[in-house]
Amino acid sequence: MEQLRLGVLVSGRGSNLQSIMDACDRGETKAKVVVVLSDNPDAYGLVRAQNAGIDTYVVKPSDYPDRDAHNAAMGDILERYQVGLICLAGYMRVLAPSFVERFRHRIINIHPALLPSFPGLHGQEQALNYGVKVSGCTVHFVDEGVDTGPIVIQAVVPAFHDDTEETLSARILKYEHKIYPAAIRLYAEGRLKVEGRKVIIEGDPHKEWAVTNPPLDF
Ligand code: GAR
């Protein structure tokens, strides 16, 4: 079976990139990371990719006249590597509509909140300031908006009144590292169909469940 070729965009630490590379190495996804791009030359994600023998490119926005030109340069690299799916993994810039159109339904993102709540930057801090009792993370297809595209998978974790941005972020991150590779696996297996705002997952077991925070028996 041919493997899905992944291009990953990072701006920083790259722990989600690492979880994707690790899942690919373990054979859990029919996919492999073939190229990693960053807008930030100091992104540690670049080091992680290089350690794994994966080609990396720094594509700096300041080297281009506008966002369309910058994104077009990234798109050219991704096409050169015959990437089938583009994964944003802590890529902290909004993509140009021209880029989204060029790779329609072939770009996914992970966001550290339960969308559509708390899009944009510092999703975890926004959720804490709001006083939510649960939060989590979301993998979604990328459309022209900010964190607005069709949702593939979400994970829910509790939020506690004495959480800090750091403690909640760490709790959420553990699940980011689980749901991102899972979403890629479903995509690679051809099991995701986008119909309007909805993503239909082939074989979805429709298992019913609920969590409360706090638990009802405390
Ligand atoms: C992750 O928590 C990711 O969800 C978030 O940035 C972090 C990157 O960590 N992304 C966003 O906030 C996008 N709006 P990583 O570089 O270790 O994967």
Side-chain angles (χ1 to χ4, degrees):
M1 168 71 102
E2 202 179 305
Q3 286 196 315
L4 176 70
R5 296 171 65 81
L6 305 174
V8 182
L9 272 53
V10 299
S11 294
R13 180 179 58 183
S15 72
N16 276 290
L17 164 67
Q18 189 71 55
S19 76
I20 294 166
M21 293 190 303
D22 290 349
C24 292
D25 284 348
R26 288 194 300 265
E28 288 170 12
T29 63
K30 291 185 183 129
K32 62 176 176 189
V33 180
V34 294
V35 64
V36 172
L37 274 54
S38 182
D39 55 330
N40 171 15
D42 300 322
Y44 186 64
L46 292 169
V47 177
R48 293 179 191 269
Q50 286 154 10
N51 287 342
I54 293 165
D55 288 359
T56 61
Y57 293 83
V58 176
V59 188
K60 281 196 341 214
S62 56
D63 289 342
Y64 298 87
D66 57 28
R67 188 173 60 166
D68 281 303
H70 170 255
N71 285 193
M74 292 201 297
D76 291 346
I77 296 170
L78 293 161
E79 278 183 354
R80 191 143 47 78
Y81 278 81
Q82 296 180 307
V83 160
L85 182 67
I86 300 165
C87 304
L88 310 186
Y91 184 72
M92 293 307 192
R93 290 175 187 275
V94 178
L95 294 167
S98 56
F99 186 90
V100 174
E101 181 59 39
R102 182 171 171 183
F103 298 101
R104 176 76 61 196
H105 295 159
R106 286 193 288 145
I107 314 170
I108 57 174
N109 180 43
I110 183 128
H111 182 74
L114 292 175
L115 293 172
S117 295
F118 316 122
L121 295 177
H122 300 289
Q124 306 97 327
E125 189 184 22
Q126 293 181 56
L128 281 180
N129 290 342
Y130 195 90
V132 298
K133 292 294 186 205
V134 296
S135 189
C137 44
T138 304
V139 176
H140 64 94
F141 283 99
V142 171
D143 68 7
E144 284 79 357
V146 176
D147 301 324
T148 52
I151 291 171
V152 180
I153 305 188
Q154 296 183 298
V156 181
V157 305
F160 302 121
H161 73 87
D162 52 359
D163 265 325
T164 61
E165 188 179 358
E166 288 69 35
T167 58
L168 180 61
S169 297
R171 196 173 305 124
I172 292 172
L173 192 65
K174 280 192 267 177
Y175 288 87
E176 294 189 37
H177 295 163
K178 292 179 194 291
I179 69 171
Y180 214 173
I184 291 167
R185 174 170 63 82
L186 291 171
Y187 186 97
E189 291 173 358
R191 292 169 62 188
L192 301 182
K193 195 162 83 197
V194 183
E195 282 187 6
R197 283 219 47 84
K198 292 191 182 167
V199 176
I200 298 165
I201 303 177
E202 190 191 297
D204 179 349
H206 283 59
K207 203 153 72 184
E208 212 175 287
W209 60 272
V211 290
T212 69
N213 180 40
L216 299 180
D217 57 354
F218 74 112

